[in-house]
Amino acid sequence: MRRFVLGLFALIGIVTVLAFLGIGVAVWRIALSQPVLPDTIVLSAELGRGLTEGAGQDSLSDLVFGSKETLRDVLDALERGGNDARVKGLYARLGADTLGLATCQELRDAIRDFRAKGKFAIAFADTFGEFGPATRPYYLATAFDEIWLQPLGSLGLVGLHSESTFFRGALDRLGILPSFAHREEYKTAMNALTETAMTAPQREEIEDLLRATSGQIVRGIASARKLSEAEVTGLIDRGPFVADEAKAARLIDRIGYRDEAVTTAQKRAGSGAELVSFSRYLDGAGHPHNSGPTIALVYGTGLVTRGGGTSTPLLDNAELSAREVGRAFRQAFGDPEVRAILFRIDSPGGSAVASETIWREVVRAREHGKPVIVSMGDVAGSGGYYIAAPADKIVAEPATLTGSIGVLAGKLVISELAHKLGITDDSAQRGANAAMFSVFEDFSPAARQRLDAFLDEVYGGFKQHVAAGRHLSADQVEAAAKGRVWSGEEAKEKGLVDELGGYDVAFRLAKEAAKIPADKPFTLTVFPHEKGTIERVYDRLFKPDRNSDAASPTVAQGIESGMAAGVAKLLAGIEMLVSDPGVLRMPPLGEIR
């Protein structure tokens, strides 16, 4: 008891110190906010790092070190800057292959619109890949009107490559049996465990995706660099290039160093020009979409899970929690000011039950008179497509990976491995199928029958939801299903997507659905409304039993544990992949880069 009391007081002390630290740093940051902006601005960005999709969880690390730059921030800065006479152009550093292809397309469109308003855009890279693959970052760079490369830098324009690793041989040697079933032949998420090489459907799917996305890249580069598509295809086959070769091939414009590129940007902007980061610019100029009727923005990012509860004030964990997303939708459709809901999805899927929970909230939003427009990021497949299906409209980038309408389930049987290690197992049961989830024995014929029945039910329900939401016949859905992953471009041809584009297209459709005139501004509000760090610490300490599924849509979800929750989340993800029945998960298509 004494140890417990001492531990409790120590915990309270630590939380109190962290809380005061957070408050102090927050006040300090607020005091430095809203900076005075110069009269002549060159926006400055680091696009060689990854971008988070949208608003985070207001973690304490954000208060101390500053929030991570988000895709939404970049798009907001380019949109606001495009209409700001003080902003003359953009300087961005590129090179690292960290952004997905659909994200690159979203950024290319935003930079195109920025330049269309009379602004210049200079891209600098010390190297595109450093003699490694860098087709995607170079594709993004071609949206700029001037591309710089450092003298010893290289240009890794080599096309796209997908490589898959298979563990079946190792499992056989270890004595581990992968026992899985799927619907249907293109649902290959477990092939890494069950096969030693690509199956014919898997190879067909990947080669078609590479063909589609490579074509998009070739067309984009050819148009931007004023080359023919045949010339670009030939250059890709000759790559990678050293700097002089890249310039001779008209793939870049200038060879030089960062300071020279910055000086050029400042000269193009005019006397007294200063480089201003996106975050500083938005702090001073403000975000766009802050007046007029309200459109709600709900993020659905990460692996779809049933619970929520793994985020903490100290850590910033991303998962698509059915509980959190459901709460966001209930807040949004319960708010009389909200005219439409924009649902931004970037998810490979996950739990079938969680996907159905979110699907229901999208349906309820529409029943409450709130149109729902889906905007897809890099990935919106399997469970990620399931939750999009009932929306009024679906928008995807041409390179978005989507579809994967199918289901898989199974387990790894470790009885032979255990025997080799001298581990024995004994059991007792009541019920013919009580042991069907045991990892020490394979499915019996009766258990296999129940597994197949479950998969048939989930797969059938998935297809029915798609047919109803997309107004497609059963035959049309079946032709687009079978677990097959499509590019956004192909998905549009199949009727799974309505329009190609990013946020800008989704905003237009949301305004149309909400009957907001095209030339009228709107307010973009993120749901759910998040409490601050201190409020959430207080709730965790003094309201541990709060129910986030309560009827009131404004009740915030509590905080779960710390490091233990992180470990539990990792284990839960592994368990979902190998044993949880009814998983709606896209296959990992290798690293397409």
mmCIF file of all heavy atoms in Angstrom, residues 100-139:
data_model
loop_
_atom_site.group_PDB
_atom_site.id
_atom_site.type_symbol
_atom_site.label_atom_id
_atom_site.label_comp_id
_atom_site.label_asym_id
_atom_site.label_seq_id
_atom_site.Cartn_x
_atom_site.Cartn_y
_atom_site.Cartn_z
ATOM 1 N N GLY A 100 4.192 9.997 -51.026
ATOM 2 C CA GLY A 100 3.473 9.098 -51.904
ATOM 3 C C GLY A 100 3.153 9.770 -53.230
ATOM 4 O O GLY A 100 3.130 10.997 -53.345
ATOM 5 N N LEU A 101 2.864 8.956 -54.235
ATOM 6 C CA LEU A 101 2.642 9.491 -55.576
ATOM 7 C C LEU A 101 1.391 10.361 -55.641
ATOM 8 O O LEU A 101 1.383 11.411 -56.305
ATOM 9 C CB LEU A 101 2.549 8.336 -56.573
ATOM 10 C CG LEU A 101 2.581 8.691 -58.051
ATOM 11 C CD1 LEU A 101 3.767 9.595 -58.384
ATOM 12 C CD2 LEU A 101 2.625 7.418 -58.896
ATOM 13 N N ALA A 102 0.329 9.959 -54.965
ATOM 14 C CA ALA A 102 -0.882 10.773 -54.964
ATOM 15 C C ALA A 102 -0.645 12.109 -54.258
ATOM 16 O O ALA A 102 -1.161 13.146 -54.686
ATOM 17 C CB ALA A 102 -2.036 10.021 -54.296
ATOM 18 N N THR A 103 0.143 12.107 -53.180
ATOM 19 C CA THR A 103 0.492 13.360 -52.509
ATOM 20 C C THR A 103 1.283 14.260 -53.440
ATOM 21 O O THR A 103 1.071 15.483 -53.482
ATOM 22 C CB THR A 103 1.294 13.078 -51.231
ATOM 23 O OG1 THR A 103 0.504 12.305 -50.332
ATOM 24 C CG2 THR A 103 1.711 14.374 -50.543
ATOM 25 N N CYS A 104 2.214 13.687 -54.195
ATOM 26 C CA CYS A 104 2.954 14.471 -55.181
ATOM 27 C C CYS A 104 2.007 15.118 -56.189
ATOM 28 O O CYS A 104 2.198 16.278 -56.575
ATOM 29 C CB CYS A 104 3.964 13.585 -55.911
ATOM 30 S SG CYS A 104 5.361 13.031 -54.897
ATOM 31 N N GLN A 105 0.992 14.370 -56.612
ATOM 32 C CA GLN A 105 0.040 14.929 -57.571
ATOM 33 C C GLN A 105 -0.768 16.062 -56.950
ATOM 34 O O GLN A 105 -1.032 17.088 -57.611
ATOM 35 C CB GLN A 105 -0.880 13.818 -58.086
ATOM 36 C CG GLN A 105 -0.152 12.815 -58.958
ATOM 37 C CD GLN A 105 -1.017 11.667 -59.423
ATOM 38 O OE1 GLN A 105 -2.031 11.329 -58.790
ATOM 39 N NE2 GLN A 105 -0.632 11.037 -60.527
ATOM 40 N N GLU A 106 -1.156 15.910 -55.690
ATOM 41 C CA GLU A 106 -1.893 16.979 -55.006
ATOM 42 C C GLU A 106 -1.034 18.243 -54.918
ATOM 43 O O GLU A 106 -1.507 19.359 -55.169
ATOM 44 C CB GLU A 106 -2.285 16.511 -53.608
ATOM 45 C CG GLU A 106 -3.066 17.522 -52.803
ATOM 46 C CD GLU A 106 -4.519 17.141 -52.592
ATOM 47 O OE1 GLU A 106 -4.788 15.961 -52.337
ATOM 48 O OE2 GLU A 106 -5.372 18.040 -52.659
ATOM 49 N N LEU A 107 0.238 18.074 -54.575
ATOM 50 C CA LEU A 107 1.140 19.219 -54.475
ATOM 51 C C LEU A 107 1.416 19.831 -55.846
ATOM 52 O O LEU A 107 1.511 21.058 -55.983
ATOM 53 C CB LEU A 107 2.445 18.800 -53.812
ATOM 54 C CG LEU A 107 2.352 18.430 -52.327
ATOM 55 C CD1 LEU A 107 3.659 17.827 -51.839
ATOM 56 C CD2 LEU A 107 1.995 19.656 -51.487
ATOM 57 N N ARG A 108 1.562 19.010 -56.865
ATOM 58 C CA ARG A 108 1.792 19.529 -58.213
ATOM 59 C C ARG A 108 0.637 20.421 -58.645
ATOM 60 O O ARG A 108 0.846 21.495 -59.234
ATOM 61 C CB ARG A 108 1.964 18.389 -59.226
ATOM 62 C CG ARG A 108 3.267 17.626 -59.094
ATOM 63 C CD ARG A 108 3.366 16.506 -60.127
ATOM 64 N NE ARG A 108 4.120 16.926 -61.307
ATOM 65 C CZ ARG A 108 3.605 17.190 -62.485
ATOM 66 N NH1 ARG A 108 2.299 17.096 -62.674
ATOM 67 N NH2 ARG A 108 4.372 17.551 -63.499
ATOM 68 N N ASP A 109 -0.576 19.993 -58.368
ATOM 69 C CA ASP A 109 -1.740 20.801 -58.745
ATOM 70 C C ASP A 109 -1.754 22.122 -57.980
ATOM 71 O O ASP A 109 -2.088 23.173 -58.541
ATOM 72 C CB ASP A 109 -3.032 20.034 -58.483
ATOM 73 C CG ASP A 109 -3.233 18.869 -59.452
ATOM 74 O OD1 ASP A 109 -2.543 18.846 -60.490
ATOM 75 O OD2 ASP A 109 -4.065 17.991 -59.163
ATOM 76 N N ALA A 110 -1.400 22.083 -56.690
ATOM 77 C CA ALA A 110 -1.390 23.306 -55.886
ATOM 78 C C ALA A 110 -0.320 24.281 -56.379
ATOM 79 O O ALA A 110 -0.538 25.501 -56.434
ATOM 80 C CB ALA A 110 -1.160 22.964 -54.411
ATOM 81 N N ILE A 111 0.847 23.764 -56.747
ATOM 82 C CA ILE A 111 1.922 24.611 -57.268
ATOM 83 C C ILE A 111 1.534 25.172 -58.641
ATOM 84 O O ILE A 111 1.820 26.328 -58.958
ATOM 85 C CB ILE A 111 3.237 23.814 -57.335
ATOM 86 C CG1 ILE A 111 3.689 23.460 -55.915
ATOM 87 C CG2 ILE A 111 4.330 24.597 -58.052
ATOM 88 C CD1 ILE A 111 4.765 22.397 -55.862
ATOM 89 N N ARG A 112 0.869 24.361 -59.441
ATOM 90 C CA ARG A 112 0.367 24.840 -60.740
ATOM 91 C C ARG A 112 -0.576 26.016 -60.556
ATOM 92 O O ARG A 112 -0.460 27.049 -61.244
ATOM 93 C CB ARG A 112 -0.352 23.696 -61.458
ATOM 94 C CG ARG A 112 -1.053 24.072 -62.757
ATOM 95 C CD ARG A 112 -2.179 23.099 -63.044
ATOM 96 N NE ARG A 112 -3.205 23.144 -62.000
ATOM 97 C CZ ARG A 112 -4.100 22.182 -61.791
ATOM 98 N NH1 ARG A 112 -4.072 21.079 -62.528
ATOM 99 N NH2 ARG A 112 -5.006 22.300 -60.838
ATOM 100 N N ASP A 113 -1.511 25.912 -59.613
ATOM 101 C CA ASP A 113 -2.457 26.996 -59.367
ATOM 102 C C ASP A 113 -1.741 28.232 -58.817
ATOM 103 O O ASP A 113 -2.099 29.367 -59.148
ATOM 104 C CB ASP A 113 -3.534 26.540 -58.379
ATOM 105 C CG ASP A 113 -4.421 25.446 -58.962
ATOM 106 O OD1 ASP A 113 -4.427 25.272 -60.194
ATOM 107 O OD2 ASP A 113 -5.105 24.752 -58.173
ATOM 108 N N PHE A 114 -0.738 28.021 -57.963
ATOM 109 C CA PHE A 114 0.054 29.115 -57.414
ATOM 110 C C PHE A 114 0.766 29.864 -58.535
ATOM 111 O O PHE A 114 0.736 31.104 -58.607
ATOM 112 C CB PHE A 114 1.061 28.522 -56.420
ATOM 113 C CG PHE A 114 1.997 29.510 -55.783
ATOM 114 C CD1 PHE A 114 1.594 30.291 -54.709
ATOM 115 C CD2 PHE A 114 3.305 29.637 -56.245
ATOM 116 C CE1 PHE A 114 2.463 31.189 -54.106
ATOM 117 C CE2 PHE A 114 4.193 30.515 -55.649
ATOM 118 C CZ PHE A 114 3.772 31.300 -54.577
ATOM 119 N N ARG A 115 1.389 29.145 -59.448
ATOM 120 C CA ARG A 115 2.092 29.773 -60.569
ATOM 121 C C ARG A 115 1.131 30.462 -61.524
ATOM 122 O O ARG A 115 1.483 31.489 -62.138
ATOM 123 C CB ARG A 115 2.897 28.716 -61.318
ATOM 124 C CG ARG A 115 4.105 28.174 -60.549
ATOM 125 C CD ARG A 115 4.817 27.098 -61.358
ATOM 126 N NE ARG A 115 5.220 27.599 -62.669
ATOM 127 C CZ ARG A 115 5.610 26.825 -63.691
ATOM 128 N NH1 ARG A 115 5.649 25.503 -63.524
ATOM 129 N NH2 ARG A 115 5.958 27.347 -64.845
ATOM 130 N N ALA A 116 -0.071 29.919 -61.663
ATOM 131 C CA ALA A 116 -1.050 30.515 -62.571
ATOM 132 C C ALA A 116 -1.466 31.918 -62.132
ATOM 133 O O ALA A 116 -2.022 32.681 -62.936
ATOM 134 C CB ALA A 116 -2.281 29.610 -62.677
ATOM 135 N N LYS A 117 -1.187 32.260 -60.882
ATOM 136 C CA LYS A 117 -1.516 33.596 -60.369
ATOM 137 C C LYS A 117 -0.337 34.554 -60.482
ATOM 138 O O LYS A 117 -0.283 35.577 -59.797
ATOM 139 C CB LYS A 117 -1.978 33.480 -58.923
ATOM 140 C CG LYS A 117 -3.278 32.694 -58.790
ATOM 141 C CD LYS A 117 -3.651 32.382 -57.345
ATOM 142 C CE LYS A 117 -4.927 31.563 -57.283
ATOM 143 N NZ LYS A 117 -5.284 31.141 -55.913
ATOM 144 N N GLY A 118 0.620 34.213 -61.347
ATOM 145 C CA GLY A 118 1.737 35.104 -61.619
ATOM 146 C C GLY A 118 2.923 34.942 -60.700
ATOM 147 O O GLY A 118 3.804 35.813 -60.667
ATOM 148 N N LYS A 119 3.002 33.852 -59.954
ATOM 149 C CA LYS A 119 4.107 33.617 -59.024
ATOM 150 C C LYS A 119 5.133 32.671 -59.667
ATOM 151 O O LYS A 119 4.787 31.821 -60.475
ATOM 152 C CB LYS A 119 3.603 32.985 -57.724
ATOM 153 C CG LYS A 119 2.284 33.566 -57.199
ATOM 154 C CD LYS A 119 2.429 34.970 -56.660
ATOM 155 C CE LYS A 119 1.096 35.459 -56.073
ATOM 156 N NZ LYS A 119 1.206 36.773 -55.443
ATOM 157 N N PHE A 120 6.394 32.809 -59.256
ATOM 158 C CA PHE A 120 7.409 31.874 -59.722
ATOM 159 C C PHE A 120 7.591 30.761 -58.687
ATOM 160 O O PHE A 120 7.170 30.875 -57.530
ATOM 161 C CB PHE A 120 8.747 32.591 -59.988
ATOM 162 C CG PHE A 120 9.441 33.111 -58.749
ATOM 163 C CD1 PHE A 120 10.222 32.283 -57.952
ATOM 164 C CD2 PHE A 120 9.323 34.452 -58.394
ATOM 165 C CE1 PHE A 120 10.864 32.767 -56.810
ATOM 166 C CE2 PHE A 120 9.958 34.953 -57.255
ATOM 167 C CZ PHE A 120 10.730 34.102 -56.466
ATOM 168 N N ALA A 121 8.244 29.684 -59.108
ATOM 169 C CA ALA A 121 8.495 28.558 -58.200
ATOM 170 C C ALA A 121 9.834 27.922 -58.562
ATOM 171 O O ALA A 121 10.019 27.461 -59.696
ATOM 172 C CB ALA A 121 7.373 27.530 -58.282
ATOM 173 N N ILE A 122 10.753 27.926 -57.603
ATOM 174 C CA ILE A 122 12.087 27.367 -57.798
ATOM 175 C C ILE A 122 12.259 26.153 -56.900
ATOM 176 O O ILE A 122 12.031 26.220 -55.693
ATOM 177 C CB ILE A 122 13.180 28.406 -57.473
ATOM 178 C CG1 ILE A 122 13.130 29.558 -58.484
ATOM 179 C CG2 ILE A 122 14.569 27.766 -57.471
ATOM 180 C CD1 ILE A 122 14.115 30.668 -58.192
ATOM 181 N N ALA A 123 12.671 25.028 -57.491
ATOM 182 C CA ALA A 123 12.949 23.804 -56.739
ATOM 183 C C ALA A 123 14.459 23.575 -56.708
ATOM 184 O O ALA A 123 15.120 23.654 -57.743
ATOM 185 C CB ALA A 123 12.253 22.619 -57.387
ATOM 186 N N PHE A 124 14.978 23.281 -55.513
ATOM 187 C CA PHE A 124 16.399 22.968 -55.365
ATOM 188 C C PHE A 124 16.547 21.600 -54.719
ATOM 189 O O PHE A 124 15.832 21.261 -53.770
ATOM 190 C CB PHE A 124 17.117 24.004 -54.486
ATOM 191 C CG PHE A 124 18.510 23.593 -54.117
ATOM 192 C CD1 PHE A 124 19.556 23.761 -55.014
ATOM 193 C CD2 PHE A 124 18.780 22.992 -52.882
ATOM 194 C CE1 PHE A 124 20.848 23.345 -54.687
ATOM 195 C CE2 PHE A 124 20.060 22.578 -52.547
ATOM 196 C CZ PHE A 124 21.103 22.765 -53.454
ATOM 197 N N ALA A 125 17.496 20.816 -55.250
ATOM 198 C CA ALA A 125 17.839 19.521 -54.636
ATOM 199 C C ALA A 125 19.349 19.379 -54.642
ATOM 200 O O ALA A 125 19.995 19.613 -55.672
ATOM 201 C CB ALA A 125 17.191 18.373 -55.402
ATOM 202 N N ASP A 126 19.913 19.024 -53.489
ATOM 203 C CA ASP A 126 21.343 18.713 -53.519
ATOM 204 C C ASP A 126 21.563 17.430 -54.308
ATOM 205 O O ASP A 126 22.579 17.250 -54.970
ATOM 206 C CB ASP A 126 21.924 18.618 -52.110
ATOM 207 C CG ASP A 126 21.174 17.655 -51.209
ATOM 208 O OD1 ASP A 126 20.190 17.038 -51.668
ATOM 209 O OD2 ASP A 126 21.568 17.517 -50.037
ATOM 210 N N THR A 127 20.568 16.549 -54.279
ATOM 211 C CA THR A 127 20.568 15.354 -55.116
ATOM 212 C C THR A 127 19.166 14.771 -55.119
ATOM 213 O O THR A 127 18.438 14.854 -54.126
ATOM 214 C CB THR A 127 21.578 14.306 -54.615
ATOM 215 O OG1 THR A 127 21.597 13.196 -55.517
ATOM 216 C CG2 THR A 127 21.239 13.807 -53.221
ATOM 217 N N PHE A 128 18.791 14.195 -56.233
ATOM 218 C CA PHE A 128 17.552 13.432 -56.304
ATOM 219 C C PHE A 128 17.926 11.958 -56.161
ATOM 220 O O PHE A 128 18.163 11.258 -57.137
ATOM 221 C CB PHE A 128 16.834 13.666 -57.633
ATOM 222 C CG PHE A 128 16.148 14.996 -57.749
ATOM 223 C CD1 PHE A 128 16.731 16.018 -58.480
ATOM 224 C CD2 PHE A 128 14.930 15.234 -57.129
ATOM 225 C CE1 PHE A 128 16.107 17.243 -58.606
ATOM 226 C CE2 PHE A 128 14.294 16.459 -57.241
ATOM 227 C CZ PHE A 128 14.885 17.474 -57.981
ATOM 228 N N GLY A 129 18.034 11.503 -54.921
ATOM 229 C CA GLY A 129 18.287 10.098 -54.669
ATOM 230 C C GLY A 129 19.715 9.720 -54.376
ATOM 231 O O GLY A 129 19.973 8.620 -53.902
ATOM 232 N N GLU A 130 20.697 10.595 -54.632
ATOM 233 C CA GLU A 130 22.122 10.277 -54.440
ATOM 234 C C GLU A 130 22.440 8.898 -54.991
ATOM 235 O O GLU A 130 22.808 7.965 -54.296
ATOM 236 C CB GLU A 130 22.529 10.373 -52.968
ATOM 237 C CG GLU A 130 24.040 10.406 -52.801
ATOM 238 C CD GLU A 130 24.491 10.839 -51.421
ATOM 239 O OE1 GLU A 130 23.635 10.848 -50.501
ATOM 240 O OE2 GLU A 130 25.663 11.170 -51.256
ATOM 241 N N PHE A 131 22.286 8.790 -56.309
ATOM 242 C CA PHE A 131 22.476 7.556 -57.056
ATOM 243 C C PHE A 131 21.568 6.450 -56.509
ATOM 244 O O PHE A 131 21.972 5.312 -56.295
ATOM 245 C CB PHE A 131 23.931 7.110 -57.070
ATOM 246 C CG PHE A 131 24.264 6.317 -58.317
ATOM 247 C CD1 PHE A 131 24.304 6.941 -59.554
ATOM 248 C CD2 PHE A 131 24.486 4.960 -58.255
ATOM 249 C CE1 PHE A 131 24.592 6.213 -60.702
ATOM 250 C CE2 PHE A 131 24.770 4.219 -59.405
ATOM 251 C CZ PHE A 131 24.825 4.852 -60.628
ATOM 252 N N GLY A 132 20.332 6.838 -56.289
ATOM 253 C CA GLY A 132 19.290 5.915 -55.873
ATOM 254 C C GLY A 132 17.997 6.341 -56.549
ATOM 255 O O GLY A 132 17.947 7.350 -57.256
ATOM 256 N N PRO A 133 16.909 5.593 -56.360
ATOM 257 C CA PRO A 133 15.647 5.936 -57.026
ATOM 258 C C PRO A 133 15.056 7.229 -56.499
ATOM 259 O O PRO A 133 15.042 7.469 -55.294
ATOM 260 C CB PRO A 133 14.752 4.734 -56.713
ATOM 261 C CG PRO A 133 15.299 4.180 -55.435
ATOM 262 C CD PRO A 133 16.781 4.393 -55.509
ATOM 263 N N ALA A 134 14.586 8.077 -57.388
ATOM 264 C CA ALA A 134 13.975 9.345 -56.979
ATOM 265 C C ALA A 134 13.003 9.830 -58.045
ATOM 266 O O ALA A 134 12.893 11.033 -58.297
ATOM 267 C CB ALA A 134 15.046 10.394 -56.702
ATOM 268 N N THR A 135 12.287 8.907 -58.665
ATOM 269 C CA THR A 135 11.342 9.295 -59.708
ATOM 270 C C THR A 135 10.226 10.157 -59.146
ATOM 271 O O THR A 135 9.827 11.152 -59.759
ATOM 272 C CB THR A 135 10.761 8.037 -60.383
ATOM 273 O OG1 THR A 135 11.828 7.307 -60.995
ATOM 274 C CG2 THR A 135 9.726 8.399 -61.430
ATOM 275 N N ARG A 136 9.722 9.808 -57.966
ATOM 276 C CA ARG A 136 8.599 10.568 -57.392
ATOM 277 C C ARG A 136 8.992 11.995 -57.024
ATOM 278 O O ARG A 136 8.278 12.941 -57.394
ATOM 279 C CB ARG A 136 8.014 9.826 -56.192
ATOM 280 C CG ARG A 136 7.295 8.543 -56.578
ATOM 281 C CD ARG A 136 6.623 7.873 -55.399
ATOM 282 N NE ARG A 136 7.567 7.491 -54.361
ATOM 283 C CZ ARG A 136 7.265 6.694 -53.328
ATOM 284 N NH1 ARG A 136 6.033 6.220 -53.211
ATOM 285 N NH2 ARG A 136 8.167 6.377 -52.432
ATOM 286 N N PRO A 137 10.099 12.232 -56.281
ATOM 287 C CA PRO A 137 10.441 13.618 -55.981
ATOM 288 C C PRO A 137 10.769 14.437 -57.224
ATOM 289 O O PRO A 137 10.480 15.645 -57.271
ATOM 290 C CB PRO A 137 11.649 13.507 -55.037
ATOM 291 C CG PRO A 137 12.157 12.129 -55.198
ATOM 292 C CD PRO A 137 10.982 11.295 -55.566
ATOM 293 N N TYR A 138 11.354 13.807 -58.247
ATOM 294 C CA TYR A 138 11.605 14.566 -59.474
ATOM 295 C C TYR A 138 10.290 14.914 -60.161
ATOM 296 O O TYR A 138 10.116 16.020 -60.682
ATOM 297 C CB TYR A 138 12.518 13.798 -60.430
ATOM 298 C CG TYR A 138 12.677 14.548 -61.732
ATOM 299 C CD1 TYR A 138 13.435 15.718 -61.778
ATOM 300 C CD2 TYR A 138 12.026 14.138 -62.889
ATOM 301 C CE1 TYR A 138 13.530 16.452 -62.959
ATOM 302 C CE2 TYR A 138 12.121 14.852 -64.068
ATOM 303 C CZ TYR A 138 12.874 16.018 -64.094
ATOM 304 O OH TYR A 138 12.971 16.752 -65.255
ATOM 305 N N TYR A 139 9.361 13.975 -60.180
ATOM 306 C CA TYR A 139 8.025 14.237 -60.736
ATOM 307 C C TYR A 139 7.395 15.447 -60.058
ATOM 308 O O TYR A 139 6.825 16.323 -60.725
ATOM 309 C CB TYR A 139 7.179 12.981 -60.542
ATOM 310 C CG TYR A 139 5.722 13.070 -60.904
ATOM 311 C CD1 TYR A 139 5.304 13.438 -62.171
ATOM 312 C CD2 TYR A 139 4.746 12.727 -59.962
ATOM 313 C CE1 TYR A 139 3.946 13.484 -62.505
ATOM 314 C CE2 TYR A 139 3.403 12.756 -60.278
ATOM 315 C CZ TYR A 139 3.005 13.142 -61.558
ATOM 316 O OH TYR A 139 1.665 13.179 -61.869
#
